[in-house]
Amino acid sequence: MTADSSRPSPKPTTKAPPKWLEPLVLLLPAGVWLLLLLVIPTLLIFELSLVPAIRPGQVVNPSGLENYFRLLQPDYLPVLGRSLFFSLSTTILTLLLGFPVAYWIALKIPKQWQNLVLLSFVLPLWTSSLLRSYAWITILRPTGVMNTALNLLKLPSLDILNREPAVLIGMTYSLLPYMVLILYAALEKLDRRLLEAAADLGATPSQAFWQITVPQSFTGIAAGALLVFITGMGDFVNPELLGGASSMTVARLIYNQFLGVTQNWGFGSALSMLLTLVVSIAIALLLKYGDRNAASGV
Amino acid sequence: MTPSSQNFRSAQFRLPSWMAWFTLLMFGFMYLPIAVLAFYSFNDSRYSTGWKGFTWKWYESFLNDSRILTALANSILVAGFAVAIAAVVGTLMAVGLARYRFPGKQVYQSIAYLPLIIPDISMAVATLVFLAAVAIPFSGGLIQLGLGTIIAAHVVFCLSYIAIVVSTRINALNPHLEEAALDLGATPVQAFIQVLLPELMPAIVSGCLLAFVLSLDDFLISSFTTGGGVKTLPIEIFGRIRTGVKPDINALSVILITATGFLFAVAEYLRYRTEQKRFKD
Amino acid sequence: MPPRRSALTARSRRRFLQTSAAIAAGLASHGCGWTLAEVRPASAKGDKDKLSIYTWESYIDPALIDTFHTHTAVDVTYDIYDSNETMLATLRSGKGTNYSVIYPTDYAIADMIERKEVITLDKSRINGLENLMPQFQDSPFDPNNAHSVPVSWGTTGLIYNANEIKTEITDWSDLWALKSQLTRRMTLLADVREVMGATLKSLGYSYNSTNPAEIQQAYTKLTELKPAIATFTTDAWQNQLIAGDYLLCMAYSMDAVTAIQENPDLNLRYVIPKSGTSLWSDAMVIPVTAPNPDVAYEWINYMLQPAIAVDITKRLFFATPNQAAYDQLPNPVRNNQNLFPPEATLKPCERIITLPPQVSEIYDRYWTRLTSK
């Protein structure tokens, strides 16, 4: 683009700012903030995780990997297993429940209503998630809403609260809106002409679904699954409020080491690092598998 | 309308409308807890499951409950400040990352988007340890755990969310707009403010909304970084659930969802109006 | 929502991990000797007419705050904790610098005194200490009450719904005996010393055992009971016991008495186990980080007034150590055996004492293992 020749090109001001000023102004504030409140804290946690048992007020002397070995003992592996179980189950449940909803909103209703319906579906997100989990206590209690309704229908009561099924219900409920949002974003971009073409070529709706819809929206499915899995692994509120005495998860265990009855910041730090590790593995797996899927010509 | 597309349309309808029913069921599932909370907010009984009469007393109790109101105010304050700071810092960062290449850029980028990925509790724990070990001792006790530390911790994840929403938008922009502005004699600052910013505004706003909701709802990071008796709403609610709940919490939830529903309706209406206006232009 | 993974390629993550591993190794090897979260004395005085209290749920209510406000024009705010360990955790991680009055239990006070976390009280500023019962004038945990003023005492026991549980409950061992009937209808306190102590007692050992073998036995016995426990909670059992969700809860005496008094139509009973339980007393202390020690003294003096103590005991149902107040209590409250148990019942009870750190750690480890199952 050349400037109009009749106008003199603007003279550079004599005090032109140095070239590195602009990127610095743009990137420094965030960089400093992240350094102070993310990078350094993570390194401190790593250091603390090497101290066997430390509470505030004690001197820090990293001495070894004892905390990590403690994690591998048979008493604590089930905790990790339970967290994984909750996260994976919630991921599957939200996928199964959320996909039809997202599909219906994205592909079955007219464009001008989609936003409204979608946002109405996720509106409960704006009430505190703690309040909604508390509501589930009221519903799932032995004398709660659910059992009252069941008894009215002459059905036996279900003992769900303070056990794993309650946690699953709570977690699925909390994470379903996020899954629907992500799936919707992916399904909205679906090229309907592909579906039309498939119908023209004689595909059944089921074939069209599995061979076109799912692969096309795969990035959305993967992103949603990853989000739900990660959030599930770190979920504290649902297992704490709905899980009772026998549903210890990694997040609750970490909380107890810092703000709860046992005060072991070293063990808690090691657990925190473990959690981050598990999440990183999940991401790495997904990147690998996702790349392969993308490469296979979707 | 060719016969085949007619086929498809009927194929679409033949695709069982179970999806519509299923979605309705899921809507029911989503709103069931809200309905239960609403039901008990009007129920004149502290413990019983059954209906014992209509009453407004839980709403009165809630409005007189200074602890919850303070907690609510704190939550809004924290979210407001955190999002405001994060909007500025995060947008600048997103623009910087989109424009420049520099050694260590990938490391910077990874760190910048890390809060989206690591679980809340890991961030909460790390921040507490940092504050307890470094910030408070080094500042000679000037920095204390409290509202300020909560805001500082919230900025970290708000910044990542806003940055990623903005960066998606930047990638879709016409890269020559700013160049053109500079050619026409604008200073870089002017080009930024008058050309780039308006283009990015929708993304910034939606990023801010997302960050605001996440900050309001955050429990773990707030509990770990709070101190001095400062409580945000989730912390206060959690404390009450642990020590025995009075039904005025139900009143709070009804008020919250009505308020947000109302705000959301207003926002949608405004958006609809601006879209209509744009149509007319 | 845009896919986030696009921001992280495998290579960039590897580089990040390498860099941070290097830094971390450097940090770790550089060593330390830095202290984690030292709590420093108050640097600034707080507002003269604001007081922040950190206490148990049963010791305070809005009515008390209102009367104090009318009396002194001071605004009181309070926060609740449900176990001494949580309170100590909060204070020691630097989160409790705004509290001027705290209500620890006796053994926690000993710990705090040792760590110099509470101030020595200026007795000349306190009036009403002579009102305390003789046994509370001195304390094995705080000689001469140099740092604390007792405000309540009680026992830990079991409260149960006598309509649903027909057998009479008398001892800790009944928990194990009725395990199958009580599956998921039973709660225990969220307190490591209380729960482990109760189990040790049921095995015939001391509440404060330091013998690792005994502690392990207690842990094993608890793991038998664990599947029947709905949840560990110190305060949240009340609503659900009243609603009928829970049938038997381990509770502090004052909470139990409150539940019984407020629900006379339910047949709730509180029992102090025969083999003995923990006898505790809570006291008011002023932490060294208190921003308002002057107002704290006012609060302590207020609590020591017999009229106020009577009022609180009648409303909040905790046993007062104030002799003058006790004499003024109406008969039903005074004769309430759950609040003021007779000597015979109290004989086998023990006070929880602070344990040396190595033993504490054993308890903590078993507790973490127990709650992780």
Side-chain angles (χ1 to χ4, degrees), chain A residues 214-228:
Chain A
V214 169
Q216 283 287 318
S217 54
F218 188 76
T219 37
I221 296 179
L226 188 66
L227 171 63
V228 170

Side-chain angles (χ1 to χ4, degrees), chain B residues 46-49 67 103-107 109-111 113-114 116-117 128-129 132-133 136-138 140-141 144-145 161 164-165 168 210 222-231 236 241-246, chain C residues 1-9 11-13 15-16 19 34-38 40 43 52 57 77-82 86 93-99 233-240 242-243 262-263:
Chain B
R46 266 189 84 155
Y47 314 109
S48 136
T49 313
R67 287 163 61 100
K105 174 172 174 175
Q106 287 199 326
V107 177
Q109 231 174 352
S110 316
I111 299 180
Y113 295 126
L114 209 56
L116 301 177
I117 301 208
L128 173 62
V129 168
I136 297 178
F138 277 19
Q144 287 292 347
L145 291 174
Y161 280 98
I164 202 166
V165 175
T168 327
L210 177 65
S222 307
S223 349
F224 275 75
T225 53
T226 187
V230 170
K231 295 189 183 296
E236 178 68 32
I241 297 180
R242 272 256 263 243
T243 57
V245 174
K246 257 191 340 175
Chain C
M1 203 136 153
R4 314 152 153 185
R5 337 172 258 101
S6 56
L8 289 180
T9 62
R11 234 186 60 211
S12 70
R13 272 189 55 252
R15 290 253 297 268
F16 167 61
T19 332
W34 48 274
T35 319
L36 192 58
E38 280 202 81
R40 285 149 191 276
S43 45
S52 206
E57 204 248 329
T77 50
Y78 64 94
D79 287 319
I80 310 270
Y81 57 88
D82 58 357
T86 318
S93 49
K95 289 162 172 289
T97 50
N98 62 315
Y99 301 121
T233 173
T234 307
D235 290 317
W237 52 264
Q238 296 187 37
N239 283 355
Q240 299 205 31
I242 296 170
E262 286 181 354
N263 297 280

Side-chain angles (χ1 to χ4, degrees), chain A residues 43-44 46-48 50 52-62 66 70 73 75-76 78-79 82 137 141-144 159 161-163 181-182 185 219 222-223 226-227 243-248 253 256-265 267 280-281 283-284 286-287 290, chain C residues 1-6 8-10 13 16 20-21 23-25 27-28 31-38 83 85-86 88-90 92-93 95 115 183-185 190-192 219 226-227 229-232 239-240 243-246 360-361 363-365 367-373:
Chain A
L43 297 176
L44 279 174
F46 179 68
E47 184 176 4
L48 261 193
L50 300 173
I54 179 169
R55 349 182 124 202
Q58 293 177 344
V59 177
V60 176
N61 261 322
E66 190 199 310
R70 187 173 163 191
Q73 282 172 8
D75 287 316
Y76 298 115
V79 175
R82 202 174 284 123
I137 298 181
R141 272 171 27 190
T143 59
D159 180 23
L161 188 61
N162 289 326
R163 293 171 69 178
L181 277 174
I182 297 180
T219 37
L226 188 66
L227 171 63
S246 297
S247 299
M248 181 62 77
L253 197 53
N256 286 341
Q257 305 307 309
F258 283 91
L259 297 182
V261 171
T262 41
Q263 276 257 281
N264 192 335
W265 287 34
F267 187 51
S280 309
I281 294 177
I283 298 175
L286 187 75
L287 285 179
Chain C
M1 203 136 153
R4 314 152 153 185
R5 337 172 258 101
S6 56
L8 289 180
T9 62
R13 272 189 55 252
F16 167 61
S20 56
I23 303 180
L27 243 184
C32 347
W34 48 274
T35 319
L36 192 58
E38 280 202 81
S83 79
E85 286 77 14
T86 318
L88 293 172
T90 309
R92 288 173 185 163
S93 49
K95 289 162 172 289
R115 297 217 201 180
T183 311
R184 306 234 169 240
R185 290 291 201 274
D191 189 310
V192 49
Y219 163 72
K226 181 87 183 321
I229 302 174
T231 183
F232 290 101
N239 283 355
Q240 299 205 31
D245 292 333
Y246 297 144
S360 262
E361 212 199 298
Y363 275 93
D364 286 342
R365 283 206 178 211
W367 181 255
T368 310
R369 281 171 73 182
L370 180 72
T371 48
S372 301
K373 285 205 172 298

Side-chain angles (χ1 to χ4, degrees), chain C residues 56-298:
Chain C
W56 302 79
E57 204 248 329
S58 351
Y59 289 153
I60 199 161
D61 69 349
L64 184 63
I65 296 182
D66 284 337
T67 46
F68 186 69
H69 183 82
T70 351
H71 187 72
T72 56
V74 172
D75 278 323
V76 176
T77 50
Y78 64 94
D79 287 319
I80 310 270
Y81 57 88
D82 58 357
S83 79
N84 287 296
E85 286 77 14
T86 318
M87 179 265 293
L88 293 172
T90 309
L91 286 183
R92 288 173 185 163
S93 49
K95 289 162 172 289
T97 50
N98 62 315
Y99 301 121
S100 297
V101 178
I102 305 184
Y103 283 62
T105 310
D106 37 26
Y107 68 94
I109 297 179
D111 195 19
M112 293 172 87
I113 294 175
E114 202 188 306
R115 297 217 201 180
K116 305 201 188 346
E117 288 168 343
V118 293
I119 68 174
T120 316
L121 293 175
D122 181 2
K123 294 300 176 77
S124 62
R125 296 176 70 171
I126 306 183
N127 16 307
L129 283 175
E130 62 280 358
N131 286 333
L132 293 173
M133 295 178 188
Q135 65 267 38
F136 290 104
Q137 295 281 359
D138 190 10
S139 158
F141 300 95
D142 181 21
N144 285 326
N145 287 338
H147 304 86
S148 60
V149 176
V151 71
S152 124
W153 63 279
T155 53
T156 310
L158 298 168
I159 179 173
Y160 67 100
N161 188 333
N163 282 339
E164 301 285 331
I165 302 181
K166 303 296 186 194
T167 47
E168 201 190 325
I169 306 234
T170 51
D171 203 356
W172 299 118
S173 48
D174 289 329
L175 288 173
W176 280 265
L178 294 171
K179 195 172 54 164
S180 41
Q181 186 192 352
L182 289 175
T183 311
R184 306 234 169 240
R185 290 291 201 274
M186 168 161 52
T187 70
L188 295 180
L189 287 176
D191 189 310
V192 49
R193 298 298 305 277
E194 294 280 0
V195 172
M196 295 287 277
T199 319
L200 284 164
K201 261 301 203 225
S202 75
L203 288 168
Y205 304 131
S206 154
Y207 230 81
N208 299 304
S209 167
T210 52
N211 184 333
E214 293 174 2
I215 303 175
Q216 177 162 37
Q217 278 188 24
Y219 163 72
T220 318
K221 190 144 193 238
L222 272 172
T223 50
E224 284 168 31
L225 190 61
K226 181 87 183 321
I229 302 174
T231 183
F232 290 101
T233 173
T234 307
D235 290 317
W237 52 264
Q238 296 187 37
N239 283 355
Q240 299 205 31
L241 178 71
I242 296 170
D245 292 333
Y246 297 144
L247 297 177
L248 172 70
C249 304
M250 185 174 174
Y252 291 123
S253 50
M254 64 222 172
D255 296 327
V257 172
T258 314
I260 296 176
Q261 297 288 352
E262 286 181 354
N263 297 280
D265 44 328
L266 295 172
N267 195 355
L268 296 172
R269 283 199 215 145
Y270 176 68
V271 77
I272 298 177
K274 269 200 320 238
S275 54
T277 180
S278 83
L279 176 66
W280 46 263
S281 71
D282 291 336
M284 298 180 278
V285 298
I286 303 181
V288 292
T289 51
N292 269 332
D294 304 319
V295 191
Y297 278 110
E298 282 188 51

